[in-house]
Amino acid sequence: MSERRKPYPFDRIEPKWQSIWEKNRAFHALNPGEKNFDAAKPKFYVLDMFPYPSGAGLHVGHPEGYTATDIIARYKRLRGFNVLHPMGWDAFGLPAEQYAIKTGQHPEITTRTNVAKFKSQLQQIGFSYDWEREINTTDPRYFKWTQWIFLKIYNSWFNPETNKAEPIETYRGDDPDSVRLAYVAEVPVNWCQGLGTVLANEEVIDGKSEVGGFPVVRRPMRQWMLRITAYAERLVDELEDLDWPESIKLLQRNWVGRSEGTEIEFKIENRKEAIRVFTTRHDTIYGASYMVLAPEHPLVDQLTAPERKSDVADYRAQIASKSDLERTDLAKDKSGVFIEAYAINPANNQRMPIWIADYVLMGYGTGAVMGVPGHDERDLEFARKFDLPILPVVQAPEKTVEESIGFVGDGLAINSPIINGLQTPEAKAKMLAWLEQHEHGQSDVRYKLRDWLFSRQRYWGEPFPIVWEKSEPDGRLKHRSLGENELPLVPPPLEDFKPTGTGEAPLAKAKDWIRYSDKAQRETNTMPQWAGSSWYYLRFCDPENDRRFVGEEAERYWMGGPKPGGVDLYVGGTEHAVLHLLYARFWHKVLFDSGYLSKTEPFQRLVNQGIILGEDNQKMSKSRGNIVSPDEVIDNYGADSFRCYEMFMGPLEQMKPWSMKGVEGVSRFLARVWRLIMEENRAGEWILSDGISDVAADKSQTKVIHATIKKVTGDIETLSFNTAISQMMIFVNAFTNADAKPLPAMRTLLLLLNPFAPHLTSELWETLNRKFTDAGGDITEQPWPNHDEQFLVEDEIEIVVQVNGKLRDKLTVSLVASDAEIEAAALALPKILALIAGKTVRKVVVVSKKLVNIVLA
RNA sequence: GCCGAUGUGGCGAAAUGGCAGACGCAACGGACUUAAAAUCCGUUGGGCUUAAACGGCCCGUGCCGGUUCGAGUCCGGCCAUCGGCACCA
């Protein structure tokens, strides 16, 4: 590619200013208690979702959110805030480990290389991060505290009476291990033979591993779990006062899946056991004609008649062999086995045949449902397939009884002696009262949320600070935590990172490391990648602290404020709408309950940037070959053009395609700003333009200046950066052909543009200061300009004149004209007279200082 | 299937219920130039009217209806695209 002449010397000024900022520690935030800390300034904590440093480097999607937060950070500094704007690396994770398996290169080396690449790319864009606060989740000084927090969780239980976590010592029951917030359980997990590890649900796509595409099967394994379900209610309720997009709140609410209903007990014919059922439609109990248990339900073995045992065993085997994928495919086709036992419907004492079927899940509710085929789609399918009785008990509005079969909405209770004639809500209330009164059931709340599967069979993750010890009476292995003084627990050096293939973690190969004492061995599983990212925003407040995960004063300052959430602005992709944001909130609440934090929520305001598509309008991917790297953009147009284009493309939260032509347009705009202030001399050198003079702007220029201050300031506050840039383009267009460029106007423009194009504006500011010294100091030390409304008012205003709502003419009147005067003037316009001639004016609407609408009969 | 978001020129997009298309891209025309690039200026939703220009008229924000003096914007119903969940009782 031939050397193109640069429209302005960004290749010289951008590295220059980046090194000045670094040398001056321009963006270093001071903590309370540090020398020069200014307690009079308000704080602002603006955070990006820190990246996983992959080998591929940045693509243009990463810096979209980063640019937005950088503009906010720079703007807030100019507005006199102490700004915390940090960056770090979420560096544990599968790709580095897979690379290690392939090449033998230790993940630590891969990680270091990738971090260096990412960091240099971010620095080239000129982001104002406080690099002195850089953190890396794989650094033992960091994960020491990840392990420490795990111990806090492990050593806590959730007290339902206080609705918060408390130290395990306060638990009065026999078996503390049964209530810890971190516990071991045998659960069905996603096992991926190809990768040799269990995977989280989100790492499994259509029954295959996201990495490598290997098949994934369900398999019961003993795993570490975190009791996030204890917080289900608070995770929903405490969303309320957060400034998050409603759609994201809804996603979280749906994920937690609260439903209110009733737990009902059904007696079993001729037996002492009972089946408990959870239902949200206890008003349909008269229509419950059969009972279904999940195949794994603990009562199945006891209740199944001897002659049905082999059928049940066959059915269970058949289900176990199905993969998740097959299960989804077969979702519509109901299957099940009758176990030759009967339950008694407490409402009408009818016998209900008991079945097992895989459409009932052991993991939700009680693992048992009452079959109401009249008013539940799945029950109806099941009943039709196995010829079970179908009784309508809710009549749909405007429908006959017969037509109401399959109706699942609210209607009129029928065939239900106790509640006949009642609308569903009243029917529910009365039925519940009846059930409670006769001790058949009580109201209950259930959640879809499951506990968090927290262990992985991987090398490249935080080891659990847990040892397994032979306990004295029975010689069984029991877990216990390491002491805080034993942290960090660093993973052993390994030559061979390969999975064992047996479900045992790679750490099991480090025989010396595992051996803790004569009678104790270390836990060999590691934590998932989500661990480090569940609290990193806290560490940024005080990253060097080696006595505490975050210092109290630093936490109170940066995570404080009047709102429930601590981080003032958090920007990142929607892909983390549920998991990361839910996990972080959960950890935060445990730490809050334990008295370590000042706020109940981590993130007050959340904004999701939209993804950037390739020029072909498709998602960027290696296989499509449409990935745009920031490097090429910066080489050709400079970092400021890159930043401004990222913001000019469209609304931050919207999905939008990349366009190199668009970058060029924005680059032209910045070059125009440059040439507003600079000109080339005969030698081809850029020098301060003769046109710049210290004169006042004229009236129309003043108006543009103040309109721009107002618009840009308001737009930055609402993150509408695209329209802020448009307004600055209007400003520049207005001054491009002016004979004299008034100095104060130029300074105002540079300040407004500074958060967007910091290198260009710093350079021009400095150049102006060399000749005109009164502004003094660096651009970053200036106050943000204020607009004055008086310069925006017009002497004369244009009034739109409509006839029957259609624009017909315009009218210019004085600012002080009354509505009556405006109406009279409008009705006197020749065009309007012609239009209304011979017609009756039925009404005239006058909107003050705006419009007249003449309505004809 | 359920839930949510989005739908405006050739393209990215603007528009407190009040002039639809700001700003930018692309395209076309002009100035400068031996020429090109760069730069600057202008035109640019569709159609009709007009020899042409000025002007004038009609249509136009996914589709159908409603509220309103007035709807891209509010309400109801559809359609399409994208995203999430998916036997959750």
Side-chain angles (χ1 to χ4, degrees):
Chain A
M1 187 168 157
S2 68
E3 185 60 22
R4 225 167 40 86
R5 198 181 172 292
K6 308 260 188 300
Y8 73 95
F10 57 79
D11 53 333
R12 182 176 60 76
I13 64 178
E14 288 177 357
K16 169 185 160 184
W17 285 98
Q18 284 161 17
S19 79
I20 289 175
W21 295 329
E22 193 179 347
K23 198 179 83 222
N24 295 348
R25 302 172 74 192
F27 310 120
H28 178 51
L30 296 170
N31 270 4
E34 286 188 85
K35 195 174 158 227
N36 296 331
F37 172 78
D38 184 352
K41 288 181 168 184
K43 70 96 184 182
F44 198 84
Y45 185 176
V46 48
L47 180 67
D48 292 300
M49 290 184 185
F50 68 160
Y52 174 76
S54 72
L58 291 179
H59 60 77
V60 295
H62 286 108
E64 187 190 11
Y66 302 164
T67 304
T69 54
D70 198 60
I71 289 168
I72 295 292
R74 288 174 179 273
Y75 166 74
K76 288 286 179 183
R77 286 191 199 101
L78 291 172
R79 295 232 86 160
F81 284 76
N82 282 329
V83 172
L84 178 57
H85 187 43
M87 182 44 84
W89 317 106
D90 188 17
F92 277 127
L94 207 48
E97 183 166 335
Q98 293 297 106
Y99 190 74
I101 293 167
K102 245 189 340 207
T103 64
Q105 172 165 289
H106 196 281
E108 202 178 315
I109 298 172
T110 315
T111 301
R112 203 180 304 137
T113 315
N114 293 351
V115 163
K117 165 89 177 151
F118 263 66
K119 186 171 176 180
S120 100
Q121 284 184 307
L122 292 179
Q123 287 180 319
Q124 274 178 49
I125 304 172
F127 290 137
S128 64
Y129 292 121
D130 180 357
W131 286 110
E132 292 173 52
R133 290 174 187 259
E134 178 179 356
I135 58 179
N136 184 324
T137 55
T138 67
D139 182 342
R141 286 170 304 167
Y142 180 86
F143 70 68
K144 169 183 177 176
W145 299 107
T146 309
Q147 292 169 330
W148 180 87
I149 294 170
F150 173 82
L151 291 183
K152 286 291 150 204
I153 296 170
Y154 175 85
N155 286 315
S156 299
W157 70 293
F158 192 84
N159 184 343
E161 283 169 21
T162 55
N163 200 23
K164 57 184 246 190
E166 292 178 11
I168 194 72
E169 296 77 36
T170 67
Y171 178 66
R172 293 285 155 246
D174 304 333
D175 181 12
D177 287 350
S178 69
V179 296
R180 290 178 187 276
L181 290 181
Y183 64 99
V184 177
E186 174 112 359
V187 288
V189 296
N190 301 303
W191 168 255
C192 178
Q193 188 65 43
L195 294 172
T197 180
V198 299
L199 295 174
N201 289 330
E202 62 277 2
E203 292 162 321
V204 182
I205 300 185
D206 293 334
K208 295 196 180 118
S209 64
E210 190 182 13
V211 179
F214 301 107
V216 173
V217 294
R218 284 257 162 205
R219 168 174 154 181
M221 287 174 72
R222 272 175 80 77
Q223 298 291 331
W224 283 94
M225 308 288 292
L226 299 190
R227 208 177 298 277
I228 190 172
T229 50
Y231 282 86
E233 189 186 341
R234 280 170 60 187
L235 287 169
V236 170
D237 293 349
E238 291 167 17
L239 277 174
E240 197 60 37
D241 297 319
L242 300 181
D243 304 317
W244 288 20
E246 271 312 309
S247 60
I248 301 292
K249 288 190 184 181
L250 196 65
L251 235 42
Q252 291 220 346
R253 281 194 202 102
N254 291 344
W255 188 264
V256 175
R258 179 188 160 95
S259 45
E260 288 181 34
T262 304
E263 191 177 297
I264 304 174
E265 194 173 276
F266 287 75
K267 296 226 164 18
I268 298 164
E269 191 177 63
N270 300 326
R271 303 194 65 111
K272 60 179 191 312
E273 293 93 344
I275 297 173
R276 310 177 76 78
V277 151
F278 174 72
T279 178
T280 55
R281 290 303 299 269
H282 44 278
D283 62 305
T284 63
I285 190 166
Y286 284 95
S289 55
Y290 64 97
M291 188 68 80
V292 193
L293 303 181
E296 313 90 328
H297 195 286
L299 281 175
V300 172
D301 286 331
Q302 299 161 52
L303 298 182
T304 304
E307 62 272 26
R308 292 286 176 175
K309 294 257 181 199
S310 74
D311 286 355
V312 166
D314 288 352
Y315 184 65
R316 283 173 161 175
Q318 190 194 324
I319 291 163
S321 72
K322 278 196 234 165
S323 72
D324 272 11
L325 194 55
E326 288 168 315
R327 264 193 211 205
T328 325
D329 282 352
L330 298 171
K332 288 278 136 50
D333 192 21
K334 294 284 177 289
S335 63
V337 173
F338 177 45
I339 66 166
E340 204 77 53
Y342 293 88
I344 303 299
N345 188 327
N348 56 14
N349 293 315
Q350 298 269 313
R351 288 173 94 211
M352 305 163 71
I354 303 173
W355 289 64
I356 60 170
D358 67 349
Y359 85 89
V360 174
L361 310 172
M362 196 56 227
Y364 183 77
T366 60
V369 303
M370 59 181 202
V372 185
H375 306 286
D376 182 280
E377 229 174 289
R378 299 147 300 179
D379 293 347
L380 182 58
E381 257 175 72
F382 191 78
R384 283 192 170 140
K385 174 143 183 186
F386 295 105
D387 210 16
L388 294 158
I390 301 167
L391 176 68
V393 292
V394 180
Q395 189 171 0
E398 329 260 311
K399 291 272 166 66
T400 65
V401 171
E402 190 53 33
E403 286 167 347
S404 297
I405 289 176
F407 173 69
V408 297
D410 284 5
L412 200 67
I414 53 171
N415 296 324
S416 306
I418 300 172
I419 52 174
N420 269 336
L422 295 180
Q423 288 295 325
T424 301
E426 291 76 41
K428 276 185 179 173
K430 186 157 181 194
M431 199 66 231
L432 174 61
W434 184 88
L435 287 165
E436 281 176 336
Q437 190 193 340
H438 294 84
E439 299 188 347
H440 294 309
Q442 65 283 315
S443 69
D444 195 11
V445 176
R446 295 282 171 160
Y447 299 92
K448 279 199 287 190
L449 185 68
R450 310 289 164 84
D451 277 338
W452 176 7
L453 171 67
F454 195 66
S455 42
R456 299 289 185 275
Q457 292 71 52
R458 283 182 186 165
Y459 172 73
W460 194 227
E462 302 89 345
F464 281 75
I466 291 285
V467 293
W468 291 84
E469 206 163 41
K470 282 210 181 77
S471 61
E472 268 324 313
D474 52 9
R476 283 181 27 180
L477 287 176
K478 278 202 68 190
H479 50 78
R480 75 160 175 84
S481 66
L482 294 182
E484 288 180 23
N485 57 345
E486 295 175 85
L487 303 181
L489 173 59
V490 180
L494 271 193
E495 295 284 312
D496 171 17
F497 310 102
K498 267 199 225 65
T500 59
T502 61
E504 204 174 28
L507 294 189
K509 295 183 208 170
K511 299 291 178 205
D512 295 343
W513 182 86
I514 294 176
R515 207 190 108 88
Y516 178 76
S517 71
D518 284 345
K519 49 176 193 159
Q521 292 206 336
R522 293 188 193 280
E523 167 68 50
T524 57
N525 282 311
T526 52
M527 298 185 198
Q529 197 180 353
W530 306 107
S533 58
S534 292
W535 73 283
Y536 75 112
Y537 57 93
L538 295 169
R539 189 65 179 167
F540 278 135
C541 298
D542 196 12
E544 301 294 329
N545 197 325
D546 54 9
R547 296 182 318 283
R548 217 165 177 281
F549 71 108
V550 56
E552 282 177 89
E553 201 182 7
E555 193 278 334
R556 257 200 314 274
Y557 182 70
W558 294 115
M559 294 294 293
K563 299 281 187 63
V567 174
D568 298 282
L569 176 64
Y570 192 29
V571 176
T574 354
E575 66 271 23
H576 296 118
V578 178
L579 297 152
H580 157 61
L581 289 170
L582 204 62
Y583 295 153
R585 294 180 62 219
F586 164 49
W587 278 35
H588 193 96
K589 287 178 192 304
V590 175
L591 291 167
F592 172 78
D593 288 351
S594 312
Y596 292 103
L597 302 178
S598 39
K599 296 283 158 193
T600 54
E601 285 285 334
F603 315 117
Q604 183 57 38
R605 183 175 179 203
L606 174 73
V607 172
N608 295 117
Q609 86 269 23
I611 59 171
I612 294 183
L613 306 172
E615 299 233 27
D616 54 359
N617 245 301
Q618 301 286 310
K619 234 183 193 145
M620 286 195 193
S621 75
K622 226 187 257 175
S623 59
R624 285 200 187 89
N626 60 353
I627 296 182
V628 182
S629 156
D631 298 1
E632 54 172 314
V633 183
I634 291 170
D635 282 351
N636 292 326
Y637 302 99
D640 285 331
S641 296
F642 177 75
R643 295 166 58 107
C644 289
Y645 176 66
E646 288 260 358
M647 295 298 99
F648 187 63
M649 291 173 80
L652 182 63
E653 304 191 58
Q654 193 171 299
M655 184 193 297
K656 44 212 179 279
W658 188 264
S659 155
M660 266 326 164
K661 284 289 182 189
V663 182
E664 218 169 297
V666 171
S667 164
R668 274 202 281 268
F669 158 65
L670 293 180
R672 279 155 72 96
V673 173
W674 177 263
R675 290 195 311 270
L676 222 45
I677 293 172
M678 306 295 279
E679 63 189 20
E680 264 181 307
N681 65 13
R682 280 172 202 248
E685 298 155 339
W686 287 107
I687 55 164
L688 184 64
S689 165
D690 274 348
I692 302 289
S693 56
D694 201 353
V695 296
D698 69 26
K699 197 171 169 186
S700 76
Q701 288 174 336
T702 304
K703 190 173 161 193
V704 173
I705 293 165
H706 285 264
T708 304
I709 296 171
K710 184 179 183 179
K711 177 85 177 138
V712 171
T713 306
D715 282 352
I716 290 176
E717 294 283 355
T718 59
L719 272 48
S720 310
F721 303 117
N722 53 331
T723 47
I725 293 172
S726 295
Q727 181 62 39
M728 289 189 277
M729 287 173 169
I730 290 169
F731 184 113
V732 171
N733 291 344
F735 281 86
T736 292
N737 289 315
D739 298 331
K741 316 287 196 294
L743 177 68
M746 295 302 108
R747 283 199 164 126
T748 299
L749 172 66
L750 293 179
L751 278 170
L752 295 176
L753 185 58
N754 176 259
F756 299 80
H759 311 88
L760 172 80
T761 50
S762 295
E763 179 72 15
L764 291 174
W765 187 272
E766 184 188 65
T767 308
L768 286 176
N769 271 5
R770 265 191 233 119
K771 180 164 176 195
F772 308 96
T773 51
D774 60 305
D778 189 84
I779 191 166
T780 55
E781 290 152 25
Q782 308 305 312
W784 188 256
N786 289 310
H787 84 279
D788 188 337
E789 204 59 45
Q790 72 162 331
F791 295 117
L792 299 180
V793 296
E794 321 254 355
D795 305 331
E796 292 191 316
I797 41 180
E798 192 175 62
I799 302 288
V800 169
V801 184
Q802 298 180 337
V803 176
N804 285 338
K806 284 184 180 166
L807 172 70
R808 292 302 177 197
D809 207 350
K810 288 176 191 177
L811 174 68
T812 304
V813 299
S814 122
L815 187 61
V816 294
S818 70
D819 287 2
E821 285 165 342
I822 291 172
E823 179 177 338
L827 286 166
L829 289 168
K831 256 187 211 166
I832 300 303
L833 283 173
L835 280 162
I836 63 179
K839 307 211 170 89
T840 315
V841 175
R842 191 154 64 84
K843 187 174 174 185
V844 178
V845 180
V846 181
V847 180
S848 283
K849 300 184 199 319
K850 265 214 179 97
L851 156 152
V852 178
N853 188 14
I854 298 156
V855 187
L856 300 179

